[in-house]
Structures are given as structure tokens and as C-alpha cells.
Amino acid sequence: WSSPVLVNGRLYLTSAEGDPALPSLHALCVDAATGRIVWNVEVLRAPPEATREFHQKNTHASPTPIVRDGVVYVHFGHMGTAALDLDGRVRWRQTAFAYAPMHGNGGSPALIGDLLVINCDGKTDPFIAALDARTGELRWKTARRTHARSKFSFSTPLAIEVDGATQVISAASGFVAGYDPRDGREL
């Protein structure tokens, strides 16, 4: 369900293959001119204890990849996030984001400076987090302060400039907030 990304004649996309309850999560590269699969790499495999709840019109591969500076970033919601080089070699994997989704993941990450910013708005305890784009290590994690009855939401963060400073704007259930990308502090 993700959108393909076209860069230098190649399409990059994601896939959740096999048993929907225990999917194999892939990143793919396709030659845009011929349709030939250049590479198809299993990036993550859902662990047996992972929550696998998703909507029938959704998959674990709904977020759209990001390609920048020779790196492909792929996100599979609560199942994990990874970075690959343009030849399909995995640079890093991050699977430490434990949250219970509602209907799976519907938002894509955003690459903001040297951060990969991800909304993690599951059934309970929603948060926004930023990974170091070079290493995949957690740089910050900020709880969402919402009084909405339903905590889950599906959105993609956005970077804007305000008075010369970057802010991360992110919609969540019951509110929209701005965050300081340096430390995740809600503005």
C-alpha cells in the first residue's frame, strides 16, 4: 500500500509478504524502464510476540519509503524501521518501538535534517520519536499529550520554518503540535 519512490530510473517500494499474521517485510528496487526487479531484500521478519493487528485494507508495508543521499529508509510501523544502501544492503535496523497499533500503520516517516521522525500513535500511550538517520539510534521520544478518547491516529510529520528555526509539525488524535527537532520538546 505504500507509494513507490522514483530516483534515477529506479523505483523503491516496500512489501509485506507471506502470512499476514507473521509477515516477511521487504524493500524492493525495480528498474523503472523495464520493470525488472533489481533487488528484493527481506529487511525484517515480524517476531512471534509482535502485535499484528491491521485493517483488511492495510498492510504492514503501508508507509512510503524515503530515498536521500544514497540511502533508502523503510518503515513498517511497530514492526520496525531500517536503512539500506542503493544496492539493497541493510545499513541498520531499529525494532525498539513497542506500541500497540490500531489497524496497523498509516503514516510515513519524515527525514528532517539528520533525523528520521516517526509518529507512533497506537491504541494507547501515543508518542512521536526521532531516529538518527545515520545509525538508527533513538535520538528522542516524546509522549503525546492528548485528551482525545481514541488515542490512535495516522499522519506523517512535516518540517516547517518559523522565524528561521525548523519545527516538526505533527497531527495526532485530538490535536496538532509543533516539536523542536533538536530534542523533541513540544513547542
Side-chain angles (χ1 to χ4, degrees):
W1 296 100
S2 67
S3 297
V5 176
L6 177 63
V7 177
N8 296 327
R10 288 184 165 187
L11 294 166
Y12 298 91
L13 58 150
T14 57
S15 175
E17 302 177 11
D19 179 358
L22 215 65
S24 173
L25 305 169
H26 288 242
L28 294 93
C29 175
V30 177
D31 183 290
T34 66
R36 180 182 66 84
I37 296 175
V38 177
W39 48 262
N40 180 350
V41 175
E42 181 181 65
V43 178
L44 298 163
R45 181 167 287 276
E49 69 277 2
T51 303
R52 291 174 283 294
E53 189 171 327
F54 64 95
H55 193 277
Q56 66 183 4
K57 294 183 180 179
N58 191 13
T59 77
H60 295 294
S62 289
T64 297
I66 298 170
V67 180
R68 187 171 84 185
D69 298 331
V71 181
V72 181
Y73 300 94
V74 293
H75 178 61
F76 299 97
H78 69 291
M79 298 288 188
T81 306
L84 301 89
D85 66 22
L86 297 182
D87 292 320
R89 289 184 295 267
V90 176
R91 289 183 167 196
W92 56 259
R93 291 178 177 90
Q94 172 59 264
T95 59
F97 284 68
Y99 68 96
M102 181 69 151
H103 308 306
N105 191 55
S108 298
L111 196 53
I112 300 172
D114 64 348
L115 300 174
L116 193 62
V117 181
I118 303 165
N119 290 340
C120 301
D121 298 321
K123 291 179 188 178
T124 60
D125 304 320
F127 61 94
I128 183 171
L131 303 178
D132 185 303
R134 293 178 308 272
T135 65
E137 293 182 26
L138 180 67
R139 293 266 290 272
W140 51 260
K141 177 180 172 181
T142 303
R144 306 283 213 167
R145 294 182 294 154
T146 179
H147 298 291
R149 193 174 72 222
S150 294
K151 303 297 185 199
F152 69 94
S153 64
F154 310 99
S155 68
T156 297
L158 173 70
I160 66 168
E161 295 294 320
V162 177
D163 295 328
T166 301
Q167 290 185 18
V168 177
I169 304 302
S170 179
S173 185
F175 75 104
V176 175
Y179 299 89
D180 186 329
R182 295 173 296 185
D183 58 10
R185 179 177 50 90
E186 185 179 308
L187 301 171

